[in-house]
Every structure is written in structure tokens, then in C-alpha cells.
């Protein structure tokens, strides 16, 4: 099984678990609005794209915190 199929199956399993009704409603609204079909990146400003790129570079270089680490420092 290729990686995309594995991810797809994992997401389907997660979405269909009991108790995820809010998630299902959110996904339904996204589908109905067409937001899943638009390529959102194209609508970003150069500054926003630069910020995303910097964040990706930080993550790649290990300059990131887990949520728990963040809240321990800033909570």
C-alpha cells in the first residue's frame, strides 16, 4: 500500500469514529463551501508565504516546540 492510501485509510478511520460528529459537520461545511477545492496558497500575500516558508524551515531544522513545551514556558 502506498503512503497516500495509508494516510487516506487512517483519516477515514479517524473521521468515522463515534463521537466525531462535530468534525463531520465541519468537513461537510468545508465541502459545501468549496474550500477544499480551492488552492488556498495562491490567495496568500508574499509575506504570508514567506512566513509559512520560514516555519517549514524552522521545523526542518528542529527549531520547534511541542504544544506541551510551549505551554510550560508560556502558560
Amino acid at each position: 500500500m502506498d503512503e497516500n492510501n495509508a494516510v487516506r485509510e487512517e483519516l477515514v478511520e479517524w473521521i468515522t469514529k463515534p463521537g466525531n460528529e462535530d468534525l463531520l459537520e465541519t468537513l461537510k461545511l468545508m465541502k459545501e463551501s468549496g474550500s477544499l477545492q480551492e488552492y488556498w496558497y495562491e490567495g496568500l500575500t508574499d509575506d504570508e508565504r514567506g512566513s509559512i516558508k520560514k516555519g517549514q524551515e524552522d521545523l526542518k531544522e528542529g527549531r520547534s516546540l511541542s504544544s506541551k513545551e510551549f505551554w510550560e514556558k508560556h502558560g
Side-chain angles (χ1 to χ4, degrees):
M1 177 182 319
D2 70 15
E3 185 176 342
N4 286 338
N5 283 338
V7 169
R8 187 176 293 110
E9 286 185 18
E10 182 180 334
L11 288 172
V12 167
E13 181 180 325
W14 174 60
I15 291 167
T16 57
K17 281 185 180 178
N20 279 345
E21 286 76 18
D22 290 341
L23 173 62
L24 288 172
E25 184 63 26
T26 299
L27 291 172
K28 178 183 172 195
L29 292 171
M30 289 174 67
K31 179 181 180 261
E32 290 171 355
S33 74
S35 63
L36 290 175
Q37 298 171 7
E38 297 174 14
Y39 193 60
W40 59 270
Y41 189 81
E42 293 297 321
L44 299 178
T45 66
D46 288 341
D47 286 342
E48 291 168 328
R49 290 179 190 177
S51 182
I52 290 171
K53 185 175 180 178
K54 183 181 181 318
Q56 290 171 326
E57 290 169 0
D58 285 344
L59 186 60
K60 183 179 176 183
E61 296 297 322
R63 297 184 299 260
S64 62
L65 298 173
S66 68
S67 177
K68 181 180 177 181
E69 291 169 323
F70 174 85
W71 289 112
E72 286 174 352
K73 288 184 175 185
H74 305 286

